[in-house]
Amino acid sequence: MATTPIRRWRRMTAIALAPMLAAAAVAASPAFAADDDTSDATLVVGKVGLNDIPHLNPLDSGWVVQGEINHLMYDPLIRWSQEDFTPAPGLAEDWEVSDDGLTWTYHLNPDATWSDGEPVTAQDVVFTIDLMQTNDILNSRHGGLVDQMTSVEALDDHTVEITTDEPSAIMNHLNGLMPMPEHVWSEIDDPGEYTGEPGQPTSGAFQLTEYSPGERVVLTANENYWDEPVAYDELVFQSFETTEAAVQALQQGEIDFLDNLNPEQASALESNEDVTVSIQPSRHLENISFNTGARTKDGEEFGDGHPALTDPVVRQAIHHVIDKEQLVDIILDGNGTPGVSWVAPIFSEHFWDPGDERFEVSAERGNELLDEAGYDERTDDGIRIDPESGEPLNFRLQYHSDRPAYADIVDFLVDWIGELDIAVEPTPMETVPLNEELDAGNYDISTGGWNYGPDPSEDLAYLTCDRLPDEPEPTDLTFDFYCNEEVDALWEQQLRATDSEERAEAVKELQQIVYRDSPQIILYYDHAIEAYSNDWTGFGMLPESGGTIARQQGDYGYTQAVPADMAEDAAAGDGSADDGDDTAAASDDDGSNTGLIVAIVVVALIVIGGAIWLVRRRATAHERE
């Protein structure tokens, strides 16, 4: 493609600008937090899919939008660092482990408070872990995190000691542990049924003010936030049925930020001088999933999946006809990477490259596999027949009707899989009923997406046999009812590994097995295409060297945002000390004020330069031609 070098240059420019922009924004943030009161500004975020989340229970969060909102309200015990996803202080300012790797001691920040003024205590942590261990609903979500804990004790108000049955790497990655206030949550009859109540005390930068399911979520800044208040007053997540409607709202100034754009939508926004478009690598992937046989832990079958898809050979044959490079080029206009397994490339320590094991794009090889496995009989219409069940290989392909890209992907899949003499019947469905069918095992093939997290234990647990349900009932805790004892053993191995290299090897070997079995086919890792009004600046990326603003397992994206007029006022020196006191103030602070002013000026310059580049990334459709 003639345009590829231009695209690569622009992408490299974005990566070069991102660390300077993020670092300057972080350096300047105290200037905006120094005032006692936050700005009277409201940041409005457009969200497609907000109407799909079932509740706002911070201890039962399985949707990325839920996690995004909950991280703004509740601080975890340990954060992911903005620099590189390494463990960083959250509510725990430091921690250590005993020589035998079994006893972990966490020291809470003594300044941490709930938004109602009560201190965050070690007893809050003990109370929350007990909930996650004993409440059936909460344990189904967090059992892999807390079931290994054999004792949890508050040594004093700010020290928690946790003992595990075996050494556990996950104890150094407790981003998924968000303590709740015991003085309030102990009064809730069933915390597993909690759905989100405005006014509840929170430990994070925001409180919940309004939760209108299917419409919007309103958060109010916690002016007394122990880890520095944000620079504005209110954050609103506004629901939209389609991304196209949200794009129009951003164009018209009705919202300030929007994520999950496709290249054509980004192109429409790039011509608007009041909007900045950001394109960065992300942790998000798109995949197709196969019903590998819905069943309970005891093997009781349910659902109506096609029996042939329980055979890895059929899934492998389909894997051989999917041209992921073509999907990246056409669907994403090059803004992504062909998929391999669940760990996204931005997590370089655990990302697995199949090398010579990569599935060759070859219908010939796919047909050979099927013939060799006995799928050589055909119907009068030329469709292969399953030798075990006698059923034709006619698969339903359910896909989300609210994402235009899925319809395009499905068109390719129908043609490609057809080359194997397998029929595919596309079925568009809205997200909620589609997910209900998946949970109940009533599907053959389905499209889907996932935002992989930095710690492999949490996400890869969905591939373990333990996630199969106890009863033949719907569940969203498994990836396609997949179960493989080798995968289970490797998952346990990485969980217990305290050596990072040993853990990485186990994670990669696990991915290798899943890739071969192909219970899912990862189509691609797409780049995050996000856009925001130039009335705002300073959005924090994760990682800061070039990553996403939204869909983080953290709060950097929105908490570091600043109204542009505040940035301009700060850069112009508004709100500083009287002229006659400037020199003395700088001297008394050992030059800290001077450094702060320099940082703010750098922010202004970089924002202007960055906006010039980001807004100018040009259209996609005619570049493909």
Side-chain angles (χ1 to χ4, degrees):
M1 292 175 59
T3 57
T4 300
I6 297 175
R7 184 184 300 120
R8 184 178 297 117
W9 174 82
R10 286 167 172 157
R11 193 170 302 144
M12 291 175 67
T13 306
I15 294 171
L17 278 174
M20 294 186 292
L21 181 59
V26 171
S29 60
F32 306 119
D35 294 335
D36 292 335
D37 298 321
T38 57
S39 166
D40 188 26
T42 296
L43 175 62
V44 182
V45 175
K47 279 293 176 186
V48 176
L50 187 64
N51 58 331
D52 296 330
I53 64 174
H55 53 70
L56 281 179
N57 188 328
L59 298 182
D60 184 25
S61 178
W63 290 71
V64 65
V65 179
Q66 284 176 309
E68 198 171 7
I69 295 171
N70 288 326
H71 271 284
L72 293 163
M73 295 191 289
Y74 299 96
D75 285 339
L77 205 60
I78 297 173
R79 291 186 175 113
W80 299 118
S81 76
Q82 191 175 5
E83 180 182 2
D84 58 4
F85 290 107
T86 54
L91 289 175
E93 59 182 358
D94 57 71
W95 57 95
E96 66 267 358
V97 61
S98 60
D99 291 340
D100 62 6
L102 299 179
T103 302
W104 294 75
T105 306
Y106 301 89
H107 304 279
L108 304 187
N109 190 318
D111 295 329
T113 62
W114 300 103
S115 54
D116 62 1
E118 293 291 320
V120 176
T121 68
Q123 189 55 44
D124 292 323
V125 179
V126 174
F127 167 79
T128 303
I129 292 174
D130 181 67
L131 277 181
M132 295 162 73
Q133 288 181 324
T134 59
N135 184 283
D136 290 342
I137 292 176
L138 305 184
N139 187 257
S140 68
R141 184 71 63 187
H142 296 287
L145 173 65
V146 299
D147 287 351
Q148 61 179 323
M149 301 177 183
T150 55
S151 70
V152 184
E153 182 180 357
L155 301 184
D156 57 42
D157 285 347
H158 297 103
T159 309
V160 181
E161 183 180 87
I162 302 176
T163 302
T164 59
D165 53 0
E166 294 184 53
S168 173
I170 204 171
M171 295 299 290
N172 202 37
H173 298 266
L174 296 182
N175 183 270
L177 178 52
M178 295 181 178
M180 295 296 114
E182 182 186 21
H183 64 284
V184 174
W185 272 62
S186 61
E187 302 299 320
I188 299 175
D189 290 338
D190 184 358
E193 299 295 333
Y194 175 77
T195 58
E197 181 180 327
Q200 286 281 359
T202 61
S203 60
F206 292 90
Q207 281 186 280
L208 182 64
T209 303
E210 177 189 339
Y211 175 34
S212 300
E215 296 178 11
R216 67 177 194 159
V217 175
V218 181
L219 306 179
T220 301
N222 177 5
E223 295 184 4
N224 299 314
Y225 180 40
W226 63 276
D227 198 24
E228 296 186 355
V230 299
Y232 55 98
D233 182 63
E234 195 172 65
L235 174 59
V236 176
F237 290 87
Q238 182 65 51
S239 180
F240 287 88
E241 289 293 327
T242 65
T243 308
E244 287 78 6
V247 167
Q248 290 300 315
L250 182 59
Q251 292 269 39
Q252 296 166 12
E254 296 171 0
I255 63 174
D256 303 300
F257 179 89
L258 179 61
D259 71 324
N260 210 24
L261 297 164
N262 64 36
E264 286 74 21
Q265 293 160 345
S267 173
L269 290 169
E270 285 165 347
S271 61
N272 188 331
E273 62 182 9
D274 297 322
V275 172
T276 292
V277 174
S278 173
I279 302 176
Q280 296 290 343
S282 79
R283 61 190 181 97
H284 183 262
L285 59 87
E286 294 288 356
N287 70 303
I288 59 171
S289 298
F290 301 106
N291 186 341
T292 65
R295 61 204 181 282
T296 66
K297 288 186 178 74
D298 294 333
E300 182 178 354
E301 299 178 357
F302 62 97
D304 64 2
H306 196 294
L309 289 173
T310 65
D311 184 354
V313 171
V314 176
R315 306 192 300 260
Q316 291 162 358
I318 293 174
H319 207 153
H320 270 292
V321 296
I322 295 180
D323 190 339
K324 301 173 185 179
E325 293 274 3
Q326 189 172 356
L327 291 178
V328 170
D329 184 48
I330 295 178
I331 303 296
L332 301 180
D333 190 38
N335 293 302
T337 305
V340 180
S341 190
W342 287 95
V343 180
I346 63 169
F347 305 113
S348 58
E349 183 181 13
H350 293 149
F351 174 69
W352 174 72
D353 186 342
D356 293 339
E357 292 189 45
R358 189 179 301 272
F359 277 89
E360 175 191 10
V361 181
S362 169
E364 180 181 359
R365 180 57 185 146
N367 279 298
E368 286 177 357
L369 286 174
L370 292 170
D371 289 341
E372 293 167 0
Y375 296 88
D376 51 356
E377 297 293 328
R378 289 169 172 77
T379 67
D380 292 341
D381 294 330
I383 303 302
R384 291 181 183 271
I385 297 174
D386 176 15
E388 293 294 326
S389 67
E391 295 184 23
L393 299 193
N394 191 334
F395 302 141
R396 297 161 296 172
L397 174 52
Q398 293 153 298
Y399 67 96
H400 299 74
S401 59
D402 54 2
R403 290 281 305 278
Y406 282 136
D408 296 332
I409 292 171
V410 166
D411 286 343
F412 282 109
L413 295 177
V414 170
D415 290 342
W416 290 337
I417 298 174
E419 296 177 27
L420 300 172
D421 293 337
I422 295 174
V424 175
E425 298 177 0
T427 306
M429 300 179 67
E430 293 184 358
T431 294
V432 171
L434 189 153
N435 286 331
E436 289 174 347
E437 293 292 84
L438 299 186
D439 295 347
N442 295 327
Y443 69 103
D444 297 328
I445 309 175
S446 174
T447 61
W450 191 260
N451 286 272
Y452 182 84
D455 185 84
S457 299
E458 297 179 38
D459 291 57
L460 299 182
Y462 285 79
L463 293 164
T464 61
C465 301
D466 190 55
R467 287 302 188 93
L468 295 177
D470 294 317
E471 302 293 334
E473 298 173 348
T475 177
D476 65 349
L477 298 177
T478 173
F479 286 154
D480 304 298
F481 305 94
Y482 179 69
C483 174
N484 183 307
E485 291 183 358
E486 288 184 272
V487 168
D488 281 14
L490 287 165
W491 186 85
E492 288 288 343
Q493 181 180 332
Q494 65 81 31
L495 181 67
R496 308 302 178 194
T498 54
D499 178 79
S500 60
E501 292 185 4
E502 178 188 346
R503 189 184 197 201
E505 281 303 309
V507 171
K508 290 178 180 178
E509 189 175 345
L510 184 158
Q511 292 176 81
Q512 182 181 36
I513 294 172
V514 175
Y515 181 77
R516 291 172 183 166
D517 271 0
S518 298
Q520 307 86 20
I521 298 175
I522 310 302
L523 301 178
Y524 52 70
Y525 314 100
D526 49 347
H527 291 170
I529 307 180
E530 304 169 312
Y532 56 87
S533 164
N534 290 337
D535 289 339
W536 292 82
T537 188
F539 292 97
M541 292 181 179
L542 180 64
E544 63 185 357
S545 59
T548 63
I549 295 170
R551 298 171 178 259
Q552 299 178 357
Q553 285 193 328
D555 64 0
Y556 306 109
Y558 303 120
T559 60
Q560 293 177 5
V562 177
D565 56 359
M566 288 185 66
E568 293 168 0
D569 290 344
D574 289 0
S576 61
D578 292 338
D579 292 344
D581 297 330
D582 285 349
T583 304
S587 175
D588 290 343
D589 290 339
D590 295 327
S592 61
N593 287 348
T594 300
L596 183 58
I597 292 171
V598 170
I600 293 168
V601 172
V602 170
V603 171
L605 292 174
I606 293 176
V607 167
I608 293 171
I612 290 173
W613 175 80
L614 286 167
V615 176
R616 298 303 178 197
R617 190 183 181 281
R618 279 303 163 197
T620 55
H622 70 271
E623 283 185 352
R624 283 202 305 271
E625 294 170 2

